Amino acid sequence: MFTTALVALDQSPAAPATLARLTDLSTWGIKKVILAHVVRVSYNQFAAYDHGENYREWLERCAEPLKKAGLEVTVCVRISGLVADELLAIAGEFDADLLLVGSRAHSRASTLFLGSVARDLIRKTTLPLFLEWVAPDAEDTGTEGAPPVTPALNQVLLATDLSRYASGAENLIRELSTEATRIDLLTVLTPDGLINTPALPVMAAAALNHIRDYLPGKPEQISVLTPKGSPAETIVRIASERDATLIIIGKHGQGWLESKLIGTTATEVCEAAQRPVLIAPLKKGE
């Protein structure tokens, strides 16, 4: 379903885990990879250009094991004051259909792991974005000996509010279900929703069962879940209880304001999930 991935990298402990995820994503159809880094422009322009060349050499070293694994790899270094915007421009130039970025908290005491670039990418992307969670205490092992990753499709949690804004996420689970081992289909029943629509539990279960019936894959287990609670908190809790290896969620939900560029539920899930999240924007025409 995906063929070309743009991988945003920097020389941080997030890099080895992000690169290791590419092996797993090759089962999703990834054949081409763009390893990209954007040097943020500083007051010293000449130092920035020199640093950019150092990054190119580092990315070339990162590319070697990927090439040996059969992937077509391109290295790209740019200099810009707007890192996320430049990464998205690179994705457009190379016709990438998936973004991969790793992020983690800068403080080990924090459970929040979104960096500023990751947050900007989530807010601005029109492409699916795979956010690789990296534990705050992860060590930088360099470009060699990247840690193994748990296959993302072992236990997938689709979080949907069943609105049209969630159709991107629902379409992704249909395409990925052929490779998934187990799938949980989740809709959170909010207090306001239950008050306004007493039949909501029955309606939500019916809608989730409809999604389940049309999944082309045959996972070992597909569960339909309709817990009550606040959306983000409940999604994170269920993901932990079910040991989800990937959360798929739409970029927007039915409660988002047109003046916002990303729904608050998606933001909060990415901040607190402590596991990979696949953000699915609404495609044109959906």
Side-chain angles (χ1 to χ4, degrees), residues 16-17 20 65 139-148:
E139 298 294 332
D140 188 350
T141 58
T143 59
E144 299 295 333

Side-chain angles (χ1 to χ4, degrees), residues 146-248:
V149 297
T150 301
L153 298 183
N154 275 7
Q155 175 69 59
V156 183
L157 175 66
L158 169 71
T160 173
D161 63 4
L162 303 173
S163 71
R164 75 176 187 88
Y165 299 108
S167 62
E170 293 169 9
N171 289 336
L172 277 181
I173 194 64
R174 290 188 181 97
E175 296 186 50
L176 292 171
S177 66
T178 56
E179 301 294 333
T181 302
R182 292 179 296 167
I183 295 175
D184 291 325
L185 305 176
L186 169 70
T187 290
V188 179
L189 306 180
T190 64
D192 286 345
L194 290 168
I195 292 173
N196 295 330
T197 311
L200 184 59
V202 175
M203 295 167 61
L208 292 178
N209 282 320
H210 179 77
I211 294 174
R212 180 190 61 186
D213 292 343
Y214 280 87
L215 291 180
K218 301 297 181 183
E220 295 177 1
Q221 180 181 350
I222 305 177
S223 300
V224 168
L225 308 173
T226 56
K228 301 176 182 178
S230 61
E233 180 181 341
T234 304
I235 291 168
V236 171
R237 175 178 61 81
I238 296 296
S240 177
E241 293 174 355
R242 307 286 290 185
D243 197 21
T245 52
L246 177 66
I247 299 173
I248 300 178

Side-chain angles (χ1 to χ4, degrees), residues 9-11 35-42 44-61 75-80 90:
L9 292 175
D10 59 12
Q11 291 177 327
L35 300 183
H37 176 76
V38 177
V39 181
R40 195 185 301 272
V41 173
S42 66
N44 190 332
Q45 190 72 23
F46 293 103
Y49 274 98
D50 178 67
H51 195 54
E53 192 58 35
N54 291 336
Y55 262 110
R56 183 178 299 279
E57 295 174 359
W58 175 71
L59 289 176
E60 291 288 359
R61 293 195 298 272
V75 166
C76 187
V77 177
R78 300 282 176 83
I79 299 174
S80 174
I90 296 170

